[in-house]
């Protein structure tokens, strides 16, 4: 239903394909084609947040999956490619302009701005002023605020669709809900970091998926990103547990 979800799925698929390539289950040709298709999907969906998400999550994968020597080699190749593409096509200038506009107070690029997000936070705090700890209840944003029925039914336009999962959780589940939310994802993240030696590649993929989700959810909102994220993380965890069982038997 949302083009941003299509772009996000492209990010998760790219990360999983990087894992397959690192494990030598995917040829260079297929990896190249996949990367091109996923990059096209991230660009074509029209979301600056998705572009930022893809760049950060791929960098995180490289950081955790490769040795220092490989990181330097990949960085040098990446810099050369970026310079060539930027000088010959100018396409990267458009990408960087779109991404940087997210952090400006006003922008010529269509989409959210920092001023808009500050206004949203103010609107959320106003709605939970009498119930800061537990929020206004599940479904408050879609049902009570009228966002499920479209813009014509809106009760408070200052919420602007709530572009950030933290605002949605604060609005519906309050500070307590926000604590539980971050407790879950931080626990998962540190578990993956601590278990890295079991299966470095799968751990790197899972960590990059967590970062991928967190960047997207905080920049745009959760949308339908959770099922795909946990699906691929589940595969990575299964790989890690399988390796652990093999080591235990040895």
């Amino acid at each position: 239903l949302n083009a941003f979800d299509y772009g996000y799925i492209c990010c998760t698929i790219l990360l999983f394909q990087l894992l397959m390539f690192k494990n030598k289950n995917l040829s260079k040709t297929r990896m190249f084609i996949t990367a091109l298709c996923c990059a096209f999907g991230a660009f074509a969906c029209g979301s600056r947040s998705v572009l930022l998400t893809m760049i950060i999550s791929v960098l995180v994968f490289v950081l955790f999956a490769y040795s220092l020597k490989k990181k330097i080699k990949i960085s040098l190749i990446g810099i050369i490619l970026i310079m060539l593409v930027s000088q010959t096509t100018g396409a990267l200038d458009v990408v960087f302009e779109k991404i940087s506009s997210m952090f400006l107070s006003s922008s010529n690029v269509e989409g959210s701005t920092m001023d808009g997000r500050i206004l949203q936070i103010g609107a959320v705090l106003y709605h939970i002023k009498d119930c800061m700890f537990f929020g206004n209840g599940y479904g408050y944003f879609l049902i009570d605020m009228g966002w499920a029925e479209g813009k014509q039914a809106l009760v408070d336009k200052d919420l602007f669709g709530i572009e950030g999962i933290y605002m949605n959780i604060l609005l519906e589940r309050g500070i307590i809900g926000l604590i539980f939310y971050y407790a879950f994802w931080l626990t998962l993240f540190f578990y993956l970091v601590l278990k890295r030696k079991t299966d470095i590649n799968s751990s790197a993929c899972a960590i990059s998926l967590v970062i991928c989700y967190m960047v997207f959810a905080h920049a745009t909102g959760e949308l339908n990103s959770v099922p795909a994220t946990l699906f691929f993380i589940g595969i990575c965890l299964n790989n890690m547990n399988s390796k652990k069982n093999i080591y235990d038997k040895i």
Side-chain angles (χ1 to χ4, degrees):
L1 295 176
N2 195 310
F4 292 9
D5 284 326
Y6 161 65
Y8 182 80
I9 291 294
C10 288
C11 294
T12 58
I13 289 173
L14 177 59
L15 294 172
F16 188 69
Q17 294 302 295
L18 285 170
L19 170 63
M20 297 290 285
F21 178 71
K22 189 74 167 54
N23 286 340
K24 299 180 179 179
N25 299 126
L26 198 68
S27 67
K28 288 183 179 179
T29 304
R30 286 177 180 267
M31 184 66 243
F32 179 73
I33 294 170
T34 301
L36 279 180
C37 291
C38 290
F40 169 79
F43 190 81
C45 76
S47 171
R48 299 166 298 173
S49 303
V50 170
L51 290 172
L52 180 65
T53 298
M54 180 172 283
I55 292 169
I56 291 176
S57 58
V58 169
L59 289 174
V60 170
F61 181 87
V62 172
L63 177 66
F64 282 94
Y66 290 91
S67 63
L68 180 60
K69 185 178 178 181
K70 278 280 189 180
K71 288 174 192 173
I72 295 171
K73 183 179 178 181
I74 292 169
S75 299
L76 290 173
I77 293 172
I79 291 169
I80 293 169
L81 285 174
I82 288 171
M83 290 175 66
L84 285 172
V85 174
S86 180
Q87 291 298 319
T88 55
T89 66
L92 289 177
D93 295 337
V94 177
V95 173
F96 291 136
E97 183 184 359
K98 289 184 71 174
I99 292 174
S100 61
S101 65
M102 293 173 59
F103 306 101
L104 301 175
S105 57
S106 60
S107 171
N108 294 325
V109 180
E110 185 179 352
S112 60
T113 61
M114 290 302 293
D115 286 349
R117 292 178 187 278
I118 293 171
L119 188 61
Q120 291 173 49
I121 294 171
V124 169
L125 293 175
Y126 170 77
H127 282 284
I128 64 169
K129 63 182 184 296
D130 297 323
C131 44
M132 292 283 289
F133 286 102
F134 296 100
N136 293 319
Y138 183 76
Y140 181 81
F141 175 67
L142 290 176
I143 300 171
D144 296 76
M145 294 291 100
W147 285 85
E149 299 178 25
K151 292 183 179 180
Q152 69 279 0
L154 299 184
V155 176
D156 186 354
K157 293 183 180 180
D158 286 346
L159 290 171
F160 278 103
I162 299 190
E163 295 162 322
I165 184 62
Y166 58 97
M167 286 188 275
N168 186 273
I169 292 175
L170 262 180
L171 183 65
E172 297 188 346
R173 285 163 270 183
I175 295 171
I176 301 299
L178 201 62
I179 291 171
F180 275 100
Y181 171 82
Y182 284 116
F184 170 79
W185 287 103
L186 286 173
T187 301
L188 179 59
F189 176 80
F190 286 116
Y191 174 83
L192 293 167
V193 171
L194 291 172
K195 298 294 181 180
R196 275 193 72 221
K197 292 183 179 179
T198 305
D199 186 341
I200 290 175
N201 295 338
S202 294
S203 173
C205 183
I207 290 169
S208 61
L209 284 163
V210 171
I211 299 299
C212 182
Y213 162 76
M214 293 301 283
V215 174
F216 179 77
H218 283 72
T220 298
E222 220 173 37
L223 300 180
N224 289 321
S225 60
V226 175
T229 306
L230 294 181
F231 173 77
F232 286 117
I233 289 175
I235 294 174
C236 295
L237 284 171
N238 183 64
N239 292 344
M240 293 168 67
N241 289 331
S242 297
K243 288 276 185 76
K244 181 179 181 298
N245 292 334
I246 292 171
Y247 293 144
D248 288 344
K249 289 178 182 178
I250 294 172

